[in-house]
Each structure stands twice: as structure tokens, then as C-alpha cells.
Amino acid sequence: MELLPLTRYISYHIYHTILLIPKITLVSDPANLHQFRVSLRRIRALLKLYPYMSLSFPPILKQFIKRTNPLRELDVLLADISSKNYPNAYRHITELRNDYYGELFDDLRRKEILEVLNEFYDSVIDCNPSTDTQQLIYDALSYYQESTNLYNALTPQTPEKELHALRIRFKISRYALEFLTESSLHDEGEKITQCKMLQDHLGRIQDISNQIEWFQALYRRHPIKEFSKLLKERKKQLKIFKESSR
């Protein structure tokens, strides 16, 4: 059976996540976890944007992605601070990060996720719906244009919640445009670059907001000067990034 472009692309990324699971360890490169999350989110986004698959993203995978959010946020946080300038803060964050890892990636959970991914892979292959190339292109470009219109409509009063929602829209747009380009259906390199730029900028706002929440919680548990200083710095950064986004 010949796999059509959408089926082939989604099944490839499911297989990619299966290969990544053994590479995610306590001391592995945080990029492995990041790639795992991105592949799953890419699959979920395409299934939502293209309903032709008539498949739902497995709830257990959706829940697992959500549970890895703190782990990813702590990885970003550790990458954003200097262990030399903030040794005590870095140590406390590392300990917390390792605790989250231990709760998520035990042998039983790994086995469960692998079984779900393998079943999901088979379901996607069996589905393999017939899809019109022009419709795939139209849906992706329409969603991108809607996202761009929303970005152009931002005002100084736009709440942070809407900025976050817009960031997610640009993620979905990017995933769809990358599917078109990587599947040789339509070259959308320029739009992908635009999505990355806006996604990264809006994502930085979200990262700083998350870090403020983490530093507040960590300061309550460990009231040291390093956390107090980092908290003040992030609040100043958030104000600057918010103003530049609007």
C-alpha cells in the first residue's frame, strides 16, 4: 500500500518519537526531550488542522506532554542562568528538575508510552485517507493568514493570555507549512521563517512568565538572594518583551 503524503509524514514523526524515548535519560541532552515533545505536538497539530485522518490524538499522549511541561520549563530555566553567577540557585533548580524526571520516566511509564505509540502508528497507517494536495495547501495557508491577521491586530492592551494563544497558532502554522515543504507539496520557506521569528519572540514572553512563577515558588522554599535577584531581572525583561510584541 502506497502511503499518501499526510500519512507518510505523520507516521514518520510517530516513529521518530519511538526512537527518542530510550535517548531521554536523567543526564542526556535536554534537546532529546524537546524533540520528543515537538514531534508529538506536530502530530497533534496536523491531526487537528487536517481532519481527513479521522483519528484522534491519543489522550494518554496528550496528558503525558502536559506532564512534561515542568520538566521542559526547568531545562529552559537552567539554560538561561549561569551556574557560576548563581551557584546555589542552579543547584536547587537542578535538584527539582531531577525529581520531576524521576516521577515521569520510570520503566513502567516508558513501556506504556511505547505501547500507545506503536498502536497509534498502526492506526495512522491503516487510515491513509485520500487527500487532495490543493486542499492541504489551502488549509495550511488559510490558517497561516488568519494567524498573521491576529498578530497585526495586537494592541498595547492585548492580554498575555492572547499572546500565548497566538504563539500556539504560529506553532501550528509552522508545522503545517513544514509539512508542505518537506513533503515537496509546496515550498513555504519564507513563511516558515516568519513563523519561527514570531513564535520565538512570543515564546520568549511565555518563557519569562514561567520563570517568574518558578522563581517566586523557589524563593518561598529557599529564600536566598540569588532567587530574589533573578526574580527582579525577569520582571524587567517581561515588561520589555511585552512592549516590543505589541
Side-chain angles (χ1 to χ4, degrees):
M1 178 177 64
E2 180 184 358
L3 297 182
L4 295 171
L6 185 58
T7 304
R8 186 166 58 246
Y9 192 80
I10 291 176
S11 61
Y12 165 80
H13 282 283
I14 297 174
Y15 184 65
H16 182 55
T17 61
I18 292 172
L19 295 180
L20 279 170
I21 289 180
K23 298 180 181 180
I24 302 172
T25 68
L26 183 61
V27 295
S28 66
D29 188 335
N32 293 334
L33 173 64
H34 180 56
Q35 290 176 22
F36 174 81
R37 286 163 48 85
V38 168
S39 282
L40 288 179
R41 284 182 163 164
R42 184 187 303 273
I43 295 163
R44 183 182 174 192
L46 291 175
L47 288 177
K48 184 177 180 180
L49 187 62
Y50 296 126
Y52 326 118
M53 294 296 291
S54 300
L55 289 173
S56 298
F57 190 73
I60 191 171
L61 295 180
K62 180 180 178 181
Q63 294 166 6
F64 188 69
I65 293 174
K66 187 175 182 180
R67 291 193 63 194
T68 63
N69 285 348
L71 190 57
R72 174 58 185 167
E73 290 170 7
L74 290 170
D75 281 340
V76 172
L77 188 54
L78 286 170
D80 268 2
I81 68 173
S82 167
S83 58
K84 180 180 180 180
N85 296 336
Y86 302 99
N88 292 324
Y90 196 90
R91 175 173 57 84
H92 286 304
I93 296 170
T94 300
E95 290 173 352
L96 183 59
R97 189 263 180 201
N98 292 346
D99 288 342
Y100 271 100
Y101 174 87
E103 293 175 5
L104 277 174
F105 285 96
D106 57 24
D107 290 342
L108 185 62
R109 182 56 56 85
R110 287 175 186 273
K111 182 179 179 182
E112 180 184 32
I113 296 301
L114 277 171
E115 288 176 353
V116 172
L117 283 169
N118 279 304
E119 290 176 2
F120 187 33
Y121 179 89
D122 291 340
S123 296
V124 169
I125 297 296
D126 290 341
C127 183
N128 195 31
S130 177
T131 51
D132 178 66
T133 299
Q134 292 306 311
Q135 187 64 48
L136 293 172
I137 296 171
Y138 175 81
D139 289 345
L141 295 183
S142 296
Y143 193 87
Y144 167 79
Q145 188 58 55
E146 290 172 6
S147 302
T148 302
N149 293 342
L150 289 170
Y151 182 82
N152 291 334
L154 291 177
T155 70
Q157 289 74 40
T158 301
E160 192 172 316
K161 185 176 180 179
E162 290 186 25
L163 293 177
H164 179 56
L166 186 56
R167 176 201 180 193
I168 293 174
R169 284 193 65 97
F170 277 112
K171 274 188 179 182
I172 295 173
S173 295
R174 174 184 168 185
Y175 295 153
L177 295 172
E178 286 176 340
F179 157 62
L180 296 181
T181 301
E182 293 169 14
S183 299
S184 301
L185 300 180
H186 207 261
D187 186 358
E188 296 295 349
E190 291 185 9
K191 292 184 177 67
I192 291 171
T193 299
Q194 180 74 0
C195 284
K196 287 181 180 179
M197 182 184 71
L198 295 174
Q199 177 189 328
D200 288 347
H201 187 73
L202 294 168
R204 187 56 184 159
I205 294 175
Q206 185 64 33
D207 286 343
I208 296 173
S209 297
N210 291 336
Q211 290 179 12
I212 288 173
E213 292 181 8
W214 279 112
F215 286 140
Q216 288 172 335
L218 285 161
Y219 183 72
R220 287 193 292 269
R221 294 174 61 176
H222 311 285
I224 58 177
K225 290 183 179 180
E226 290 180 16
F227 282 133
S228 177
K229 183 178 178 180
L230 286 164
L231 185 57
K232 291 177 181 178
E233 288 178 356
R234 292 303 185 273
K235 286 182 177 179
K236 290 180 181 178
Q237 290 177 3
L238 183 61
K239 183 178 180 181
I240 293 171
F241 271 88
K242 279 185 175 180
E243 289 175 351
S244 64
S245 292
R246 300 184 176 96

